[in-house]
Amino acid sequence: MRFWSPQQKYLLKVLNITGCMRKSQVLPLLRRQFDISPNAIAPICRQLRDAGYLREFNGIISAVGPQYEPFIPQALDLIFAILPREPLYFHRESRSSLYAFGEQSGLLARVFHIAQKQDLLALPGQAHFAKQKVLTVLLLTDAAQTAYLPDYFSGLIAYPDPTGKLTLQQHGGGKQHET
């Protein structure tokens, strides 16, 4: 039987929720929860990989199990930018969403991946987006989808530019969310 460090247990817990992350995202994740050195990341990941608990390919680490959703690393980038330097609690309600609750700020950041125009038509109604201390981010596949956003949606939208870098902009005046 293996005994894992608190950092390894936390990383496995987050990976079981998110499914994957970039290896470069492990340090900011663990630094929020623990006072950890950058030199500790490689041994933490190596031990978990050697024991068969995670996979590593092309700079992405993933939990062993069902296939992960490719939008998750971008969603984590957005969450880390929105909730800097505070411990996070992650939750998933569907394959196309990732929630993170900031322990200190009390802010819930919801990232929804919208792959095509039809997915925008299935967004919840206006009342669903009017909650206090909730920031909703729609991660779009491309900028053309912004034309189909409902008028009542107030939050952030993100989409990759031609180089793959995420563009982030406010939609709906920002009256329904805090930043």
Side-chain angles (χ1 to χ4, degrees):
M1 178 173 195
R2 293 199 181 262
F3 295 97
W4 302 117
S5 69
Q7 295 87 354
Q8 289 169 318
K9 288 177 184 177
Y10 181 69
L11 178 59
L12 284 174
K13 181 181 174 182
V14 171
L15 281 174
N16 283 329
I17 295 168
T18 63
C20 73
M21 68 179 55
R22 282 188 211 94
K23 193 166 182 182
S24 62
Q25 293 172 324
V26 175
L27 179 62
L29 175 75
L30 293 180
R31 273 223 168 131
R32 293 162 186 266
Q33 197 75 16
F34 308 97
D35 185 25
I36 190 168
S37 162
N39 298 334
I41 299 303
I44 287 171
C45 292
R46 183 179 60 248
Q47 289 171 357
L48 293 172
R49 185 188 66 234
D50 291 349
Y53 285 90
L54 65 84
R55 295 178 284 226
E56 216 175 307
F57 180 73
N58 254 0
I60 300 282
I61 62 170
S62 62
V64 174
Q67 188 174 3
Y68 63 84
E69 298 298 323
F71 81 93
I72 292 292
Q74 289 179 324
L76 286 169
D77 285 341
L78 292 167
I79 288 168
F80 290 164
I82 292 166
L83 298 164
R85 295 184 220 84
E86 65 179 292
L88 301 171
Y89 297 98
F90 291 95
H91 178 70
R92 298 229 8 224
E93 288 186 355
S94 71
R95 292 183 61 160
S96 61
S97 68
L98 179 63
Y99 291 33
F101 179 74
E103 185 178 278
Q104 296 161 344
S105 65
L107 178 69
L108 176 67
R110 304 181 299 182
V111 179
F112 296 99
H113 178 247
I114 309 295
Q116 51 190 336
K117 178 177 77 171
Q118 290 79 4
D119 295 340
L120 286 168
L121 302 176
L123 282 175
Q126 185 172 3
H128 183 74
F129 290 113
K131 296 179 180 174
Q132 293 272 334
K133 296 283 272 187
V134 174
L135 175 61
T136 301
V137 182
L138 299 181
L139 181 56
L140 308 175
T141 303
D142 62 50
Q145 291 174 287
T146 59
Y148 301 101
L149 287 171
D151 293 337
Y152 61 79
F153 174 73
S154 181
L156 298 176
I157 55 172
Y159 50 86
D161 67 10
T163 65
K165 185 176 177 182
L166 283 180
T167 300
L168 187 64
Q169 48 179 243
Q170 201 168 16
H171 185 272
K175 296 178 185 129
Q176 300 292 333
H177 68 273
E178 296 182 17
T179 54

